[in-house]
Amino acid sequence: MRDHRYCLVLFVVFLSYLSYSQQPIKLDEIVSSPQFEEYAPSVNATGKTLIFESNRESSNTWRLYETNLDFNWKWTKPISITNINNFGKPDDLIGGPSISYDGNTL
């Protein structure tokens, strides 16, 4: 009898995992454009700011961009984060961004 309860508990845990796991969602084309490549997304704790890396300026130059959710829950046009992108040489690779929990550090 114990084995059956153990299996039932594992099954319920597995179903809970499936129902709460996140599925990838394609963002609006203003952010996820077929013309460019985007990767290394980082979302702040509120879920309203997204910072990612993209080759929007040229196919071999990767830069960081920021976009925010507006009042209609649409992403705004991504803007280049010039304070970071202008640091170093133009061909330097910037590693994937990571926003701190409090949103004050990138």
Side-chain angles (χ1 to χ4, degrees):
M1 183 69 172
R2 282 178 103 184
D3 291 337
H4 294 293
R5 279 191 255 168
Y6 180 72
C7 289
L8 179 63
V9 168
L10 285 177
F11 182 70
V12 169
V13 169
F14 178 71
L15 287 179
S16 297
Y17 170 76
L18 287 179
S19 65
Y20 289 108
S21 64
Q22 296 179 353
Q23 299 297 319
I25 299 171
K26 182 168 174 29
L27 299 179
D28 298 335
E29 282 200 14
I30 196 166
V31 176
S32 183
S33 171
Q35 299 171 344
F36 311 109
E37 294 179 47
E38 295 89 12
Y39 79 100
S42 183
V43 180
N44 73 344
T46 65
K48 295 182 179 180
T49 299
L50 170 67
I51 296 177
F52 61 94
E53 200 157 354
S54 179
N55 63 344
R56 291 171 182 257
E57 293 176 17
S58 73
S59 62
N60 61 353
T61 302
W62 293 88
R63 300 288 181 239
L64 294 181
Y65 292 86
E66 178 180 343
T67 181
N68 297 287
L69 279 177
D70 64 14
F71 294 110
N72 297 319
W73 293 94
K74 297 287 183 187
W75 292 104
T76 59
K77 181 179 178 182
I79 57 169
S80 176
I81 305 175
T82 55
N83 289 344
I84 295 173
N85 293 335
N86 292 338
F87 185 80
K89 299 175 188 168
D91 58 346
D92 284 349
L93 178 65
I94 300 171
S98 179
I99 304 172
S100 65
Y101 181 78
D102 63 5
N104 293 325
T105 306
L106 176 64

Coordinates of all heavy atoms in Angstrom, one line a residue, residues 31-33 36-42 50-58 60-67 78-81 84-85 90-98 106:
V31 N 10.5 43.4 -31.0 CA 11.6 42.9 -30.2 C 12.3 41.7 -30.9 O 13.5 41.6 -31.1 CB 11.1 42.5 -28.8 CG1 12.3 41.8 -28.0 CG2 10.6 43.7 -28.1
S32 N 11.5 40.7 -31.2 CA 12.0 39.5 -31.8 C 11.8 39.5 -33.3 O 10.9 38.9 -33.9 CB 11.3 38.3 -31.2 OG 11.8 37.1 -31.7
S33 N 12.7 40.2 -34.0 CA 12.6 40.5 -35.4 C 13.2 39.4 -36.3 O 14.3 39.0 -35.9 CB 13.2 41.9 -35.8 OG 13.2 42.0 -37.1
F36 N 17.0 40.3 -37.4 CA 18.1 40.3 -36.6 C 18.1 39.1 -35.7 O 17.2 38.3 -35.7 CB 18.1 41.5 -35.6 CG 17.8 42.8 -36.3 CD1 16.6 43.5 -36.2 CD2 18.8 43.4 -37.1 CE1 16.4 44.7 -36.8 CE2 18.6 44.6 -37.8 CZ 17.3 45.3 -37.6
E37 N 19.3 38.9 -35.0 CA 19.4 37.8 -34.1 C 19.3 38.4 -32.7 O 20.0 39.4 -32.4 CB 20.6 37.0 -34.3 CG 20.7 36.3 -35.6 CD 22.0 35.5 -35.8 OE1 22.4 34.8 -34.8 OE2 22.6 35.6 -36.9
E38 N 18.6 37.8 -31.8 CA 18.6 38.2 -30.4 C 18.9 37.0 -29.5 O 18.5 35.9 -29.8 CB 17.2 38.7 -30.0 CG 16.7 40.0 -30.7 CD 16.0 39.7 -32.0 OE1 15.6 38.6 -32.2 OE2 15.8 40.7 -32.8
Y39 N 19.6 37.3 -28.4 CA 19.9 36.2 -27.5 C 20.2 36.8 -26.1 O 20.3 38.0 -25.9 CB 21.0 35.2 -28.0 CG 22.4 35.7 -27.8 CD1 23.1 35.3 -26.7 CD2 22.9 36.6 -28.7 CE1 24.4 35.7 -26.6 CE2 24.2 37.0 -28.5 CZ 25.0 36.6 -27.5 OH 26.3 37.0 -27.3
A40 N 20.3 35.9 -25.1 CA 20.7 36.2 -23.8 C 19.7 37.2 -23.1 O 20.1 38.2 -22.6 CB 22.1 36.8 -23.7
P41 N 18.4 36.9 -23.2 CA 17.4 37.8 -22.6 C 17.5 37.8 -21.0 O 17.8 36.8 -20.4 CB 16.1 37.3 -23.0 CG 16.3 35.8 -23.2 CD 17.7 35.7 -23.7
S42 N 17.3 38.9 -20.4 CA 17.2 39.0 -19.0 C 16.1 39.9 -18.6 O 16.0 41.1 -19.1 CB 18.6 39.6 -18.4 OG 18.6 39.6 -17.0
L50 N 13.1 44.3 -20.2 CA 13.8 43.2 -20.8 C 15.1 43.7 -21.4 O 15.0 44.7 -22.2 CB 13.0 42.5 -21.9 CG 13.6 41.6 -22.9 CD1 14.0 40.3 -22.1 CD2 12.7 41.2 -24.0
I51 N 16.2 43.2 -21.1 CA 17.5 43.5 -21.7 C 18.0 42.3 -22.4 O 18.0 41.2 -21.9 CB 18.5 44.0 -20.6 CG1 18.0 45.3 -20.0 CG2 19.9 44.3 -21.2 CD1 18.8 45.9 -18.9
F52 N 18.5 42.5 -23.6 CA 19.0 41.4 -24.5 C 20.1 41.9 -25.4 O 20.4 43.0 -25.5 CB 17.8 40.8 -25.3 CG 17.2 41.8 -26.3 CD1 17.6 41.9 -27.6 CD2 16.2 42.6 -25.9 CE1 17.1 42.8 -28.5 CE2 15.6 43.5 -26.7 CZ 16.1 43.6 -28.1
E53 N 20.8 40.9 -26.0 CA 21.9 41.2 -26.9 C 21.4 40.9 -28.3 O 20.7 40.0 -28.6 CB 23.1 40.3 -26.5 CG 24.3 40.8 -27.1 CD 25.5 40.3 -26.3 OE1 25.4 39.6 -25.3 OE2 26.7 40.6 -26.7
S54 N 21.8 41.8 -29.2 CA 21.3 41.7 -30.6 C 22.3 42.3 -31.6 O 23.2 43.1 -31.2 CB 20.0 42.4 -30.8 OG 19.5 42.3 -32.1
N55 N 22.2 41.9 -32.8 CA 23.1 42.4 -33.9 C 22.3 43.4 -34.8 O 22.4 43.4 -36.0 CB 23.7 41.3 -34.7 CG 22.6 40.5 -35.5 OD1 21.4 40.6 -35.1 ND2 23.0 39.7 -36.4
R56 N 21.6 44.3 -34.2 CA 20.7 45.2 -34.9 C 21.5 46.3 -35.7 O 21.0 46.8 -36.7 CB 19.7 45.9 -33.9 CG 18.7 45.0 -33.4 CD 17.9 45.6 -32.3 NE 16.9 44.6 -31.9 CZ 15.7 44.5 -32.2 NH1 15.2 45.5 -32.9 NH2 14.9 43.6 -31.8
E57 N 22.7 46.6 -35.2 CA 23.5 47.7 -35.9 C 24.2 47.1 -37.1 O 24.4 47.8 -38.1 CB 24.4 48.4 -34.9 CG 23.7 49.2 -33.8 CD 24.6 49.8 -32.8 OE1 25.8 49.9 -33.0 OE2 24.1 50.2 -31.7
S58 N 24.8 46.0 -36.9 CA 25.4 45.3 -38.1 C 25.5 43.8 -37.7 O 25.4 43.4 -36.6 CB 26.8 45.8 -38.3 OG 27.7 45.4 -37.3
N60 N 27.8 41.7 -37.6 CA 28.9 41.1 -36.8 C 29.2 42.0 -35.5 O 30.2 41.8 -34.9 CB 30.2 41.0 -37.7 CG 30.6 42.4 -38.2 OD1 29.9 43.4 -38.1 ND2 31.8 42.4 -38.8
T61 N 28.3 42.9 -35.2 CA 28.4 43.7 -34.0 C 27.3 43.4 -33.0 O 26.1 43.6 -33.4 CB 28.5 45.2 -34.3 OG1 29.5 45.4 -35.2 CG2 28.7 46.0 -33.0
W62 N 27.6 42.9 -31.8 CA 26.6 42.6 -30.8 C 26.5 43.7 -29.8 O 27.5 44.1 -29.2 CB 26.8 41.2 -30.2 CG 26.7 40.2 -31.2 CD1 27.7 39.7 -32.0 CD2 25.5 39.4 -31.5 NE1 27.1 38.7 -32.8 CE2 25.8 38.5 -32.5 CE3 24.2 39.5 -31.0 CZ2 24.9 37.7 -33.1 CZ3 23.3 38.6 -31.6 CH2 23.6 37.7 -32.6
R63 N 25.3 44.2 -29.5 CA 25.1 45.2 -28.5 C 23.9 44.9 -27.6 O 23.1 44.1 -27.9 CB 24.8 46.6 -29.2 CG 25.9 47.0 -30.1 CD 27.1 47.5 -29.3 NE 28.2 48.0 -30.2 CZ 29.4 47.4 -30.2 NH1 29.7 46.4 -29.4 NH2 30.3 47.9 -30.9
L64 N 23.9 45.5 -26.4 CA 22.8 45.4 -25.5 C 21.7 46.3 -25.8 O 21.9 47.5 -26.1 CB 23.3 45.6 -24.0 CG 24.3 44.5 -23.5 CD1 24.6 44.9 -22.1 CD2 23.7 43.1 -23.6
Y65 N 20.4 45.9 -25.7 CA 19.2 46.7 -25.9 C 18.3 46.5 -24.7 O 18.2 45.5 -24.1 CB 18.6 46.3 -27.2 CG 19.4 46.6 -28.4 CD1 20.3 45.8 -28.9 CD2 19.2 47.8 -29.1 CE1 21.1 46.1 -30.0 CE2 20.0 48.2 -30.2 CZ 20.9 47.3 -30.6 OH 21.7 47.6 -31.7
E66 N 17.5 47.6 -24.5 CA 16.5 47.5 -23.4 C 15.1 47.8 -24.0 O 15.0 48.7 -24.9 CB 16.8 48.6 -22.4 CG 15.8 48.6 -21.3 CD 16.1 49.7 -20.2 OE1 17.3 50.1 -20.1 OE2 15.2 50.0 -19.5
T67 N 14.1 47.1 -23.6 CA 12.7 47.4 -24.0 C 11.9 47.2 -22.7 O 12.3 46.5 -21.8 CB 12.3 46.4 -25.1 OG1 10.9 46.7 -25.4 CG2 12.3 45.0 -24.7
P78 N 13.1 48.6 -28.8 CA 14.3 48.5 -28.1 C 15.3 49.6 -28.4 O 15.4 50.1 -29.5 CB 14.9 47.2 -28.6 CG 13.7 46.4 -29.2 CD 12.8 47.5 -29.7
I79 N 15.9 50.1 -27.3 CA 16.9 51.2 -27.4 C 18.3 50.6 -27.0 O 18.4 49.8 -26.1 CB 16.5 52.4 -26.6 CG1 16.4 52.1 -25.1 CG2 15.3 53.1 -27.1 CD1 16.2 53.2 -24.2
S80 N 19.3 51.1 -27.7 CA 20.6 50.7 -27.4 C 21.1 51.2 -26.0 O 20.8 52.4 -25.7 CB 21.6 51.2 -28.5 OG 22.9 50.9 -28.2
I81 N 21.7 50.4 -25.2 CA 22.3 50.9 -23.9 C 23.7 51.4 -24.2 O 24.7 50.7 -24.1 CB 22.3 49.7 -22.9 CG1 20.9 49.1 -22.7 CG2 22.8 50.3 -21.5 CD1 20.8 47.9 -21.8
I84 N 27.0 51.2 -21.9 CA 27.7 49.9 -21.9 C 28.2 49.6 -23.3 O 29.4 49.2 -23.5 CB 26.8 48.7 -21.5 CG1 26.4 48.9 -20.0 CG2 27.5 47.4 -21.7 CD1 25.4 48.0 -19.5
N85 N 27.4 49.9 -24.4 CA 27.8 49.5 -25.7 C 29.0 50.4 -26.2 O 29.8 49.9 -27.1 CB 26.7 49.7 -26.7 CG 25.6 48.7 -26.4 OD1 25.8 47.6 -25.9 ND2 24.3 49.1 -26.8
P90 N 34.9 48.5 -30.6 CA 33.7 48.2 -31.3 C 33.5 46.7 -31.5 O 32.4 46.2 -31.6 CB 33.8 48.9 -32.6 CG 34.8 50.0 -32.4 CD 35.7 49.5 -31.3
D91 N 34.6 45.9 -31.6 CA 34.4 44.5 -31.9 C 34.5 43.6 -30.6 O 34.5 42.4 -30.7 CB 35.5 44.0 -32.9 CG 36.9 44.3 -32.5 OD1 37.1 45.0 -31.5 OD2 37.8 43.7 -33.1
D92 N 34.5 44.3 -29.4 CA 34.5 43.5 -28.2 C 33.1 42.8 -28.0 O 32.1 43.4 -28.4 CB 34.7 44.4 -27.0 CG 36.1 44.8 -26.8 OD1 37.0 44.2 -27.5 OD2 36.4 45.7 -26.0
L93 N 33.1 41.6 -27.6 CA 31.9 40.8 -27.3 C 31.5 41.1 -25.9 O 32.2 40.9 -25.0 CB 32.1 39.3 -27.5 CG 30.9 38.5 -27.3 CD1 29.8 38.8 -28.3 CD2 31.2 37.0 -27.3
I94 N 30.2 41.6 -25.8 CA 29.7 41.8 -24.4 C 28.9 40.5 -24.0 O 28.1 40.0 -24.8 CB 28.7 43.0 -24.5 CG1 29.4 44.3 -24.9 CG2 28.0 43.2 -23.1 CD1 28.4 45.4 -25.2
G95 N 29.3 40.0 -22.9 CA 28.6 38.8 -22.4 C 27.1 39.0 -22.1 O 26.7 40.2 -22.0
G96 N 26.4 38.0 -22.0 CA 24.9 38.1 -21.8 C 24.6 38.8 -20.6 O 25.2 38.7 -19.5
P97 N 23.6 39.7 -20.6 CA 23.2 40.5 -19.5 C 22.5 39.8 -18.4 O 21.9 38.7 -18.7 CB 22.3 41.6 -20.1 CG 21.7 40.9 -21.2 CD 22.7 40.0 -21.8
S98 N 22.6 40.3 -17.2 CA 21.9 39.7 -16.1 C 21.5 40.8 -15.1 O 22.3 41.6 -14.6 CB 22.7 38.7 -15.3 OG 22.0 38.1 -14.2
L106 N 23.2 45.8 -13.5 CA 23.2 45.0 -14.7 C 24.5 44.2 -14.8 O 25.6 44.8 -14.6 CB 23.1 45.8 -16.0 CG 23.1 45.1 -17.3 CD1 21.9 44.1 -17.4 CD2 23.1 46.1 -18.4

